[in-house]
Amino acid sequence: MVNMMPKPAASMQLPSDQNASGRTLGAEEIQLLSEAINSGTLTSTKGTFVKALERDFAELLGIKHAYACASGSAAVHVAIAAIDPEPGDEIITTSVTDMGALTPILYQGAIPVFADVDPTTWNVTAETIEQCISDRTKAIIVTHLFGNPCNMTEIMALAEARGIPVIEDTAQSFLATHNQQPVGAIGAIGCFSLQQGKHITTGEGGLVVTNDDALARRMYLYINKAWGYGDPKPDHYFLALNYRMTELQGAVACAQLTKLRGVVNKRRRLANRLTSLIRDLAGITPPQQDTRNAHVFWKYCLMVDSEVIPDGAVGLAKWLKENRGIFSAPRYIQKPAFRCAVFQDQRTFGSSRFPFTLARPEAVNYDEAKFPGTFQGLEHVLVLPWNESYTEEHVAYIAQSLKDAVAALSAA
Ligand SMILES: *Cc1c(COP(=O)(O)O)cnc(C)c1O
């Protein structure tokens, strides 16, 4: 029915987080970067920029310790290594997240136990986590997906009652809050990413935070090959990697950090605007948020009703791309994380299948019936790219495109 489609509006190019159009990189970053280069000291063990970043970030979150590291994946690895699971211990995580939040569990010899998610927020909940707890549970990792916090009050109550530490994966949720508290500073450890597409970026990079002095010590050591810098008799105290951030990244991050509050406020304001424009549109539901949460809109996610829109999120994405040049992501990560070969086929170290060889059968049972929220959530999600560089016109263009898409598709 191609000839019945309305003519595309004068197409607009949306700013992208993959290049300068949608990034806040500029004179401030160049200034600090050239200072770093001129200093001739590019390692954080001797330089000043990474240390300044760590101090400023801790202050911003109101937390005692922050350490920079090589990536968000490294940040999660550092957090798990600090918790120090025994081989075969279980770490509860989510079935909808970035792979960088999952593989560190295996590298530390622990078993990821996937919790189901709420299909309306794509986040784990206290209820879905509780179903996964066993006497081998060593930690819980929650991902605040798309910038929207998990319901931490209930999750912390569950975890604290059992003495289980909570690691917060805050890669997508800089400055998001639950009950006025910044996420990342609620659980035992928070993990952030500075990868290209996050709220602020150094290309690759990460940060870990904690209020716990003993965990902080282990986190610092894990980033630094467990070498006891400054100790009277330093040694390599345990198995660890070099996960340091360079001064080049540190300099850029210091400048980026000064822009973070503005980035978050802008994304939130623009998202509220889009929500107000599409609130009454049949067949799509704007992002849901608990009244205790402040969402920071890493992405803007819709739920698409396939009863109203044929082919649901996939059909809507196709229409938006073909008719308006808007690139969105139906299904977000395509399939639940546990359906990836690394978990499904237990591809790890050589042919050993370690650490899966130590797993309780139930912990690695990925039967679809255990994950109704995950399958439903991925079926109806449409992830729209979101950016602080959008103007009112860009938002109006997205809203109008959605209206036109729904009209065209639901009439078909
Ligand atoms: C981006 C991301 C990571 C991994 O961060 P990298 O810096 O890409 O290694 C981990 N968890 C979540 C939720 C992410 O979005």
Side-chain angles (χ1 to χ4, degrees):
M1 292 285 195
V2 171
N3 56 352
M4 283 177 62
M5 296 265 184
K7 271 189 116 151
S11 116
M12 272 184 109
Q13 183 109 32
L14 296 173
S16 162
D17 61 19
Q18 299 304 297
N19 58 51
S21 68
R23 299 285 65 188
T24 53
L25 300 161
E28 302 78 7
E29 284 75 10
I30 291 169
Q31 172 63 34
L32 295 188
L33 188 54
S34 68
E35 283 176 29
I37 291 170
N38 288 330
S39 78
T41 304
L42 302 188
T43 172
S44 63
T45 57
K46 301 286 188 301
T48 58
F49 286 100
V50 168
K51 288 188 184 77
L53 169 68
E54 293 171 342
R55 194 189 52 228
D56 293 352
F57 193 65
E59 193 182 308
L60 182 66
L61 281 200
I63 201 161
K64 217 162 152 189
H65 308 277
Y67 298 111
C69 59
S71 68
S73 307
V76 175
H77 197 174
V78 169
I80 294 167
I83 302 269
D84 204 19
E86 295 296 326
D89 278 354
E90 296 174 3
I91 299 188
I92 298 172
T93 182
T94 169
S95 45
V96 185
T97 189
D98 186 276
M99 191 53 69
L102 299 172
T103 44
I105 300 171
L106 297 173
Y107 273 105
Q108 286 309 112
I111 310 296
V113 181
F114 293 96
D116 198 16
V117 301
D118 178 332
T120 68
T121 62
W122 304 279
N123 277 335
V124 290
T125 66
E127 292 75 40
T128 66
I129 291 169
E130 188 164 20
Q131 288 163 16
C132 299
I133 290 179
S134 81
D135 56 8
R136 295 176 75 174
T137 305
K138 181 74 174 182
I140 297 164
I141 307 180
V142 300
T143 296
H144 305 293
L145 208 66
F146 304 128
N148 184 34
C150 297
N151 287 341
M152 290 303 286
T153 304
E154 293 81 358
I155 291 171
M156 291 307 293
L158 173 75
E160 278 168 358
R162 288 167 176 75
I164 303 170
V166 175
I167 297 169
E168 292 180 84
D169 182 346
T170 325
Q172 305 181 356
S173 48
F174 279 97
L175 302 187
T177 59
H178 173 77
N179 275 343
Q180 261 62 263
Q181 279 185 286
V183 295
I186 300 173
I189 303 176
C191 305
F192 296 80
S193 167
L194 296 166
Q195 183 264 339
Q196 176 75 39
K198 303 294 159 69
H199 285 79
I200 52 172
T201 187
T202 56
E204 308 289 350
L207 286 152
V208 281
V209 300
T210 187
N211 274 316
D212 182 306
D213 295 339
L215 287 176
R217 173 71 179 157
R218 281 191 62 88
M219 287 152 66
Y220 168 81
L221 285 169
Y222 198 76
I223 294 168
N224 288 283
K225 302 179 232 177
W227 177 252
Y229 283 96
D231 287 1
K233 284 193 193 150
D235 193 0
H236 293 285
Y237 299 129
F238 53 83
L239 177 66
L241 294 158
N242 174 356
Y243 266 159
R244 287 193 287 263
M245 174 182 276
T246 72
E247 286 288 282
L248 300 172
Q249 293 161 299
V252 173
C254 282
Q256 283 279 280
L257 196 59
T258 64
K259 303 175 183 180
L260 178 58
R261 178 67 64 187
V263 165
V264 163
N265 289 345
K266 186 91 186 292
R267 282 177 179 247
R268 193 180 279 156
R269 190 167 58 71
L270 291 163
N272 290 338
R273 177 89 187 117
L274 180 59
T275 298
S276 72
L277 292 172
I278 62 169
R279 199 189 302 280
D280 300 325
L281 203 49
I284 62 174
T285 310
Q288 306 291 298
Q289 49 179 310
D290 189 285
T291 51
R292 297 170 297 177
N293 286 349
H295 191 320
V296 293
F297 293 96
W298 180 58
K299 303 286 176 190
Y300 186 103
C301 293
L302 301 168
M303 281 187 277
V304 184
D305 183 353
S306 56
E307 307 264 296
V308 178
I309 297 171
D311 295 331
V314 171
L316 182 54
K318 185 163 180 283
W319 194 97
L320 289 171
K321 180 172 119 210
E322 287 175 357
N323 296 279
R324 297 301 151 85
I326 296 174
F327 291 85
S328 58
R331 306 196 61 81
Y332 177 48
I333 51 169
Q334 301 311 311
K335 55 189 177 187
F338 51 76
R339 284 288 160 86
C340 293
V342 53
F343 304 111
Q344 199 73 37
D345 306 335
Q346 305 188 335
R347 298 257 169 78
T348 53
F349 302 96
S351 56
S352 71
R353 295 174 38 245
F354 178 86
F356 291 111
T357 40
L358 306 175
R360 282 185 306 127
E362 183 54 20
V364 291
N365 171 3
Y366 307 140
D367 184 4
E368 180 164 347
K370 285 172 68 182
F371 302 97
T374 300
F375 282 91
Q376 193 199 337
L378 292 180
E379 191 60 40
H380 66 200
V381 69
L382 185 69
V383 183
L384 290 171
W386 207 243
N387 202 279
E388 60 280 2
S389 301
Y390 287 178
T391 61
E392 290 283 330
E393 289 70 35
H394 292 123
V395 174
Y397 177 71
I398 296 169
Q400 190 58 48
S401 299
L402 287 168
K403 286 177 190 169
D404 293 346
V406 170
L409 292 168
S410 50

